[in-house]
Amino acid sequence: MKKNIYNHIDKSWLNTLPMAKFQGRIVVVLNESEAEKAVNFLLTCNILGIDTETRPSFKKGQQHKVSLLQVSTHDICFLFRLKLIKQKSSIIRLLENKDVPIVGLSLHDDVMSLHRLFDFTPGYFIDLQNLVKTIGIEDLSLQKLYANFFHQRISKSQQLSNWDADILNEKQRLYAATDAWACIQIYEEYRRLSESRDFNLINNDKDEQLSENIS
């Protein structure tokens, strides 16, 4: 049976879905030595998911610098506390690598945020938003993409929490890891569906079912 995916996701349906959470190991990286070890490991992997978190601002005109860089494999996620890691050379080496694909969502925004802290030239980056458009998906948030592909919901409850806190609490760590890990899951399912063409696109605008062909 072909999988149904949708050009648009109804929010009321989204809220009924079971929660998806990262089930692997989460490692908080606090200094240059830990960052070097983490990057050495990550560059041995075959694919990585990436995301960033920034402390929210509730004052007009105020903007904080990015606080956290999370980079995940299938089963381990490293949370780089960027304000504590003064020397960024290992992180730059990771972001500029051209061998291991780094998958994210709206990567232009993440790159711009990171550039406010240090200069680097993005390496092997893959933006999910560019890919899923090719199969007719129009709702491009991470939460809606994950729901579309897996019929599960990613919580966004920690999005506006304090990412500059001295210690990230358990909910923050799990939220951050889940977002980075979910990018890998979405990418691999997109690749599977694209190659097998084993899906139907449901056009919610016209309330009709379309079969999508990928050339």
Side-chain angles (χ1 to χ4, degrees):
M1 177 182 294
K2 291 188 175 184
K3 173 178 280 191
N4 289 334
I5 60 175
Y6 305 88
N7 68 326
H8 286 295
I9 294 293
D10 185 84
K11 190 171 183 179
S12 61
W13 174 74
L14 178 69
N15 292 335
T16 69
L17 298 177
M19 198 71 72
K21 296 179 182 179
F22 178 63
Q23 299 293 325
R25 181 184 173 199
I26 301 173
V27 178
V28 181
V29 180
L30 300 173
N31 56 50
E32 293 84 353
S33 175
E34 292 176 357
E36 182 75 17
K37 292 176 183 178
V39 168
N40 288 342
F41 170 77
L42 288 167
L43 289 177
T44 68
C45 300
N46 60 4
I47 190 169
L48 302 172
I50 190 174
D51 195 18
T52 63
E53 303 298 339
T54 300
R55 178 184 176 183
S57 174
F58 302 104
K59 294 182 180 179
K60 186 177 180 179
Q62 184 183 55
Q63 184 179 6
H64 297 289
K65 292 184 178 181
V66 61
S67 305
L68 189 72
L69 170 68
Q70 55 262 47
V71 185
S72 184
T73 71
H74 290 92
D75 53 17
I76 182 169
C77 185
F78 293 90
L79 308 182
F80 295 85
R81 302 292 309 269
L82 295 175
K83 291 192 175 182
L84 301 179
I85 303 170
K86 303 305 180 183
Q87 175 54 252
K88 307 291 197 302
S89 57
S90 58
I91 295 174
I92 292 171
R93 180 162 58 94
L94 172 66
L95 297 176
E96 291 190 336
N97 103 88
K98 298 183 183 301
D99 298 315
V100 182
I102 300 177
V103 184
L105 190 84
S106 189
L107 283 172
H108 177 268
D109 295 337
D110 288 326
V111 168
M112 290 294 290
S113 295
L114 291 168
H115 272 160
R116 295 182 66 207
L117 292 182
F118 52 87
D119 290 328
F120 69 100
T121 301
Y124 192 174
F125 280 19
I126 299 173
D127 195 319
L128 290 170
Q129 290 185 335
N130 295 333
L131 296 181
V132 300
K133 290 177 183 178
T134 67
I135 58 173
I137 295 176
E138 299 175 39
D139 281 334
L140 302 178
S141 72
L142 185 69
Q143 187 181 46
K144 288 188 174 182
L145 285 178
Y146 197 89
N148 209 344
F149 282 116
F150 300 107
H151 292 190
Q152 292 181 307
R153 177 168 55 94
I154 294 175
S155 171
K156 305 306 289 184
S157 63
Q158 295 300 307
Q159 187 174 28
L160 297 180
S161 62
N162 181 11
W163 295 102
D164 284 339
D166 290 341
I167 297 175
L168 297 179
N169 63 44
E170 183 178 354
K171 290 182 178 179
Q172 287 178 304
R173 297 195 300 270
L174 181 58
Y175 170 93
T178 299
D179 277 6
W181 163 83
C183 291
I184 298 177
Q185 308 308 307
I186 293 169
Y187 175 72
E188 292 184 337
E189 183 65 359
Y190 162 82
R191 286 285 304 273
R192 185 187 74 81
L193 294 176
S194 296
E195 292 169 5
S196 67
R197 304 182 184 182
D198 189 25
F199 71 95
N200 297 309
L201 177 67
I202 308 299
N203 189 329
N204 282 335
D205 294 331
K206 297 180 180 179
D207 195 28
E208 63 184 39
Q209 182 169 306
L210 303 175
S211 179
E212 181 78 6
N213 293 319
I214 305 298
S215 58

PDB file of all heavy atoms in Angstrom, residues 54-74:
ATOM      1  N   THR A  54      18.242  29.571  19.864  1.00  0.00           N
ATOM      2  CA  THR A  54      18.621  30.911  20.298  1.00  0.00           C
ATOM      3  C   THR A  54      17.677  31.366  21.401  1.00  0.00           C
ATOM      4  O   THR A  54      16.464  31.128  21.328  1.00  0.00           O
ATOM      5  CB  THR A  54      18.539  31.910  19.122  1.00  0.00           C
ATOM      6  OG1 THR A  54      19.428  31.469  18.085  1.00  0.00           O
ATOM      7  CG2 THR A  54      18.923  33.312  19.559  1.00  0.00           C
ATOM      8  N   ARG A  55      18.242  31.990  22.410  1.00  0.00           N
ATOM      9  CA  ARG A  55      17.410  32.537  23.493  1.00  0.00           C
ATOM     10  C   ARG A  55      16.397  33.510  22.920  1.00  0.00           C
ATOM     11  O   ARG A  55      16.751  34.417  22.158  1.00  0.00           O
ATOM     12  CB  ARG A  55      18.304  33.237  24.504  1.00  0.00           C
ATOM     13  CG  ARG A  55      17.549  33.889  25.661  1.00  0.00           C
ATOM     14  CD  ARG A  55      18.511  34.633  26.551  1.00  0.00           C
ATOM     15  NE  ARG A  55      17.828  35.348  27.618  1.00  0.00           N
ATOM     16  CZ  ARG A  55      18.441  36.139  28.504  1.00  0.00           C
ATOM     17  NH1 ARG A  55      19.753  36.301  28.447  1.00  0.00           N
ATOM     18  NH2 ARG A  55      17.748  36.744  29.442  1.00  0.00           N
ATOM     19  N   PRO A  56      15.122  33.347  23.223  1.00  0.00           N
ATOM     20  CA  PRO A  56      14.109  34.248  22.663  1.00  0.00           C
ATOM     21  C   PRO A  56      14.215  35.641  23.269  1.00  0.00           C
ATOM     22  O   PRO A  56      14.659  35.825  24.395  1.00  0.00           O
ATOM     23  CB  PRO A  56      12.792  33.577  23.053  1.00  0.00           C
ATOM     24  CG  PRO A  56      13.118  32.792  24.284  1.00  0.00           C
ATOM     25  CD  PRO A  56      14.534  32.313  24.095  1.00  0.00           C
ATOM     26  N   SER A  57      13.816  36.615  22.487  1.00  0.00           N
ATOM     27  CA  SER A  57      13.777  37.986  22.969  1.00  0.00           C
ATOM     28  C   SER A  57      12.325  38.446  23.042  1.00  0.00           C
ATOM     29  O   SER A  57      11.544  38.210  22.125  1.00  0.00           O
ATOM     30  CB  SER A  57      14.560  38.903  22.027  1.00  0.00           C
ATOM     31  OG  SER A  57      14.405  40.249  22.416  1.00  0.00           O
ATOM     32  N   PHE A  58      11.994  39.086  24.143  1.00  0.00           N
ATOM     33  CA  PHE A  58      10.629  39.565  24.335  1.00  0.00           C
ATOM     34  C   PHE A  58      10.570  41.097  24.336  1.00  0.00           C
ATOM     35  O   PHE A  58       9.569  41.679  24.718  1.00  0.00           O
ATOM     36  CB  PHE A  58      10.055  39.000  25.623  1.00  0.00           C
ATOM     37  CG  PHE A  58      10.045  37.492  25.650  1.00  0.00           C
ATOM     38  CD1 PHE A  58      10.983  36.790  26.388  1.00  0.00           C
ATOM     39  CD2 PHE A  58       9.117  36.778  24.903  1.00  0.00           C
ATOM     40  CE1 PHE A  58      10.979  35.402  26.401  1.00  0.00           C
ATOM     41  CE2 PHE A  58       9.105  35.392  24.907  1.00  0.00           C
ATOM     42  CZ  PHE A  58      10.034  34.701  25.659  1.00  0.00           C
ATOM     43  N   LYS A  59      11.699  41.726  23.887  1.00  0.00           N
ATOM     44  CA  LYS A  59      11.750  43.176  23.774  1.00  0.00           C
ATOM     45  C   LYS A  59      11.961  43.563  22.325  1.00  0.00           C
ATOM     46  O   LYS A  59      12.801  42.986  21.638  1.00  0.00           O
ATOM     47  CB  LYS A  59      12.894  43.745  24.633  1.00  0.00           C
ATOM     48  CG  LYS A  59      12.697  43.560  26.121  1.00  0.00           C
ATOM     49  CD  LYS A  59      13.852  44.192  26.894  1.00  0.00           C
ATOM     50  CE  LYS A  59      13.674  44.021  28.396  1.00  0.00           C
ATOM     51  NZ  LYS A  59      14.811  44.629  29.145  1.00  0.00           N
ATOM     52  N   LYS A  60      11.228  44.522  21.850  1.00  0.00           N
ATOM     53  CA  LYS A  60      11.327  44.973  20.479  1.00  0.00           C
ATOM     54  C   LYS A  60      12.739  45.460  20.178  1.00  0.00           C
ATOM     55  O   LYS A  60      13.324  46.235  20.930  1.00  0.00           O
ATOM     56  CB  LYS A  60      10.317  46.104  20.219  1.00  0.00           C
ATOM     57  CG  LYS A  60      10.260  46.542  18.770  1.00  0.00           C
ATOM     58  CD  LYS A  60       9.186  47.604  18.560  1.00  0.00           C
ATOM     59  CE  LYS A  60       9.115  48.046  17.104  1.00  0.00           C
ATOM     60  NZ  LYS A  60       8.062  49.061  16.880  1.00  0.00           N
ATOM     61  N   GLY A  61      13.308  44.952  19.077  1.00  0.00           N
ATOM     62  CA  GLY A  61      14.631  45.371  18.647  1.00  0.00           C
ATOM     63  C   GLY A  61      15.772  44.596  19.268  1.00  0.00           C
ATOM     64  O   GLY A  61      16.925  44.736  18.848  1.00  0.00           O
ATOM     65  N   GLN A  62      15.493  43.784  20.273  1.00  0.00           N
ATOM     66  CA  GLN A  62      16.543  43.003  20.929  1.00  0.00           C
ATOM     67  C   GLN A  62      16.685  41.648  20.249  1.00  0.00           C
ATOM     68  O   GLN A  62      15.701  40.982  19.973  1.00  0.00           O
ATOM     69  CB  GLN A  62      16.219  42.798  22.406  1.00  0.00           C
ATOM     70  CG  GLN A  62      17.302  42.073  23.188  1.00  0.00           C
ATOM     71  CD  GLN A  62      16.888  41.824  24.629  1.00  0.00           C
ATOM     72  OE1 GLN A  62      15.847  41.241  24.883  1.00  0.00           O
ATOM     73  NE2 GLN A  62      17.681  42.308  25.573  1.00  0.00           N
ATOM     74  N   GLN A  63      17.911  41.263  19.972  1.00  0.00           N
ATOM     75  CA  GLN A  63      18.170  39.982  19.337  1.00  0.00           C
ATOM     76  C   GLN A  63      19.381  39.329  19.968  1.00  0.00           C
ATOM     77  O   GLN A  63      20.456  39.923  20.050  1.00  0.00           O
ATOM     78  CB  GLN A  63      18.400  40.162  17.826  1.00  0.00           C
ATOM     79  CG  GLN A  63      18.578  38.847  17.077  1.00  0.00           C
ATOM     80  CD  GLN A  63      18.771  39.058  15.591  1.00  0.00           C
ATOM     81  OE1 GLN A  63      18.881  40.189  15.124  1.00  0.00           O
ATOM     82  NE2 GLN A  63      18.817  37.979  14.837  1.00  0.00           N
ATOM     83  N   HIS A  64      19.220  38.101  20.442  1.00  0.00           N
ATOM     84  CA  HIS A  64      20.313  37.379  21.061  1.00  0.00           C
ATOM     85  C   HIS A  64      21.075  36.568  20.013  1.00  0.00           C
ATOM     86  O   HIS A  64      20.540  36.226  18.960  1.00  0.00           O
ATOM     87  CB  HIS A  64      19.791  36.443  22.145  1.00  0.00           C
ATOM     88  CG  HIS A  64      19.117  37.151  23.282  1.00  0.00           C
ATOM     89  ND1 HIS A  64      19.809  37.909  24.193  1.00  0.00           N
ATOM     90  CD2 HIS A  64      17.809  37.222  23.636  1.00  0.00           C
ATOM     91  CE1 HIS A  64      18.966  38.419  25.081  1.00  0.00           C
ATOM     92  NE2 HIS A  64      17.742  38.022  24.761  1.00  0.00           N
ATOM     93  N   LYS A  65      22.322  36.260  20.334  1.00  0.00           N
ATOM     94  CA  LYS A  65      23.113  35.402  19.461  1.00  0.00           C
ATOM     95  C   LYS A  65      22.770  33.940  19.720  1.00  0.00           C
ATOM     96  O   LYS A  65      22.281  33.578  20.787  1.00  0.00           O
ATOM     97  CB  LYS A  65      24.606  35.660  19.686  1.00  0.00           C
ATOM     98  CG  LYS A  65      25.046  37.038  19.212  1.00  0.00           C
ATOM     99  CD  LYS A  65      26.543  37.226  19.360  1.00  0.00           C
ATOM    100  CE  LYS A  65      26.963  38.599  18.839  1.00  0.00           C
ATOM    101  NZ  LYS A  65      28.431  38.803  18.960  1.00  0.00           N
ATOM    102  N   VAL A  66      23.025  33.106  18.723  1.00  0.00           N
ATOM    103  CA  VAL A  66      22.682  31.693  18.821  1.00  0.00           C
ATOM    104  C   VAL A  66      23.367  31.069  20.038  1.00  0.00           C
ATOM    105  O   VAL A  66      24.533  31.351  20.325  1.00  0.00           O
ATOM    106  CB  VAL A  66      23.042  30.959  17.508  1.00  0.00           C
ATOM    107  CG1 VAL A  66      24.530  31.045  17.212  1.00  0.00           C
ATOM    108  CG2 VAL A  66      22.578  29.518  17.549  1.00  0.00           C
ATOM    109  N   SER A  67      22.633  30.255  20.760  1.00  0.00           N
ATOM    110  CA  SER A  67      23.120  29.677  22.009  1.00  0.00           C
ATOM    111  C   SER A  67      23.620  28.246  21.855  1.00  0.00           C
ATOM    112  O   SER A  67      24.589  27.834  22.503  1.00  0.00           O
ATOM    113  CB  SER A  67      21.990  29.672  23.053  1.00  0.00           C
ATOM    114  OG  SER A  67      21.443  30.949  23.231  1.00  0.00           O
ATOM    115  N   LEU A  68      22.940  27.491  20.998  1.00  0.00           N
ATOM    116  CA  LEU A  68      23.161  26.046  20.969  1.00  0.00           C
ATOM    117  C   LEU A  68      23.228  25.560  19.531  1.00  0.00           C
ATOM    118  O   LEU A  68      22.428  25.963  18.688  1.00  0.00           O
ATOM    119  CB  LEU A  68      22.014  25.341  21.693  1.00  0.00           C
ATOM    120  CG  LEU A  68      22.169  23.838  21.962  1.00  0.00           C
ATOM    121  CD1 LEU A  68      23.213  23.611  23.047  1.00  0.00           C
ATOM    122  CD2 LEU A  68      20.832  23.226  22.372  1.00  0.00           C
ATOM    123  N   LEU A  69      24.183  24.684  19.271  1.00  0.00           N
ATOM    124  CA  LEU A  69      24.250  23.949  18.015  1.00  0.00           C
ATOM    125  C   LEU A  69      24.086  22.481  18.353  1.00  0.00           C
ATOM    126  O   LEU A  69      24.860  21.928  19.134  1.00  0.00           O
ATOM    127  CB  LEU A  69      25.595  24.176  17.326  1.00  0.00           C
ATOM    128  CG  LEU A  69      25.897  23.281  16.115  1.00  0.00           C
ATOM    129  CD1 LEU A  69      24.980  23.620  14.949  1.00  0.00           C
ATOM    130  CD2 LEU A  69      27.366  23.406  15.707  1.00  0.00           C
ATOM    131  N   GLN A  70      23.041  21.870  17.804  1.00  0.00           N
ATOM    132  CA  GLN A  70      22.842  20.445  18.046  1.00  0.00           C
ATOM    133  C   GLN A  70      23.097  19.667  16.765  1.00  0.00           C
ATOM    134  O   GLN A  70      22.608  20.032  15.701  1.00  0.00           O
ATOM    135  CB  GLN A  70      21.447  20.147  18.613  1.00  0.00           C
ATOM    136  CG  GLN A  70      20.277  20.658  17.803  1.00  0.00           C
ATOM    137  CD  GLN A  70      19.715  21.971  18.314  1.00  0.00           C
ATOM    138  OE1 GLN A  70      20.456  22.913  18.592  1.00  0.00           O
ATOM    139  NE2 GLN A  70      18.394  22.056  18.427  1.00  0.00           N
ATOM    140  N   VAL A  71      23.899  18.615  16.877  1.00  0.00           N
ATOM    141  CA  VAL A  71      24.263  17.777  15.738  1.00  0.00           C
ATOM    142  C   VAL A  71      24.047  16.332  16.138  1.00  0.00           C
ATOM    143  O   VAL A  71      24.602  15.864  17.131  1.00  0.00           O
ATOM    144  CB  VAL A  71      25.726  18.001  15.304  1.00  0.00           C
ATOM    145  CG1 VAL A  71      26.027  17.199  14.036  1.00  0.00           C
ATOM    146  CG2 VAL A  71      26.011  19.479  15.073  1.00  0.00           C
ATOM    147  N   SER A  72      23.229  15.628  15.353  1.00  0.00           N
ATOM    148  CA  SER A  72      22.803  14.281  15.733  1.00  0.00           C
ATOM    149  C   SER A  72      23.171  13.236  14.688  1.00  0.00           C
ATOM    150  O   SER A  72      23.206  13.533  13.486  1.00  0.00           O
ATOM    151  CB  SER A  72      21.282  14.267  15.948  1.00  0.00           C
ATOM    152  OG  SER A  72      20.846  13.000  16.397  1.00  0.00           O
ATOM    153  N   THR A  73      23.435  12.032  15.160  1.00  0.00           N
ATOM    154  CA  THR A  73      23.461  10.847  14.314  1.00  0.00           C
ATOM    155  C   THR A  73      22.125  10.147  14.517  1.00  0.00           C
ATOM    156  O   THR A  73      21.193  10.714  15.078  1.00  0.00           O
ATOM    157  CB  THR A  73      24.618   9.914  14.704  1.00  0.00           C
ATOM    158  OG1 THR A  73      24.331   9.297  15.975  1.00  0.00           O
ATOM    159  CG2 THR A  73      25.930  10.697  14.822  1.00  0.00           C
ATOM    160  N   HIS A  74      22.020   8.889  14.084  1.00  0.00           N
ATOM    161  CA  HIS A  74      20.785   8.147  14.321  1.00  0.00           C
ATOM    162  C   HIS A  74      20.544   7.892  15.806  1.00  0.00           C
ATOM    163  O   HIS A  74      19.391   7.783  16.234  1.00  0.00           O
ATOM    164  CB  HIS A  74      20.817   6.805  13.593  1.00  0.00           C
ATOM    165  CG  HIS A  74      20.723   6.926  12.104  1.00  0.00           C
ATOM    166  ND1 HIS A  74      21.830   7.007  11.292  1.00  0.00           N
ATOM    167  CD2 HIS A  74      19.647   7.001  11.284  1.00  0.00           C
ATOM    168  CE1 HIS A  74      21.443   7.106  10.036  1.00  0.00           C
ATOM    169  NE2 HIS A  74      20.131   7.119   9.998  1.00  0.00           N
TER     170      HIS A  74
END
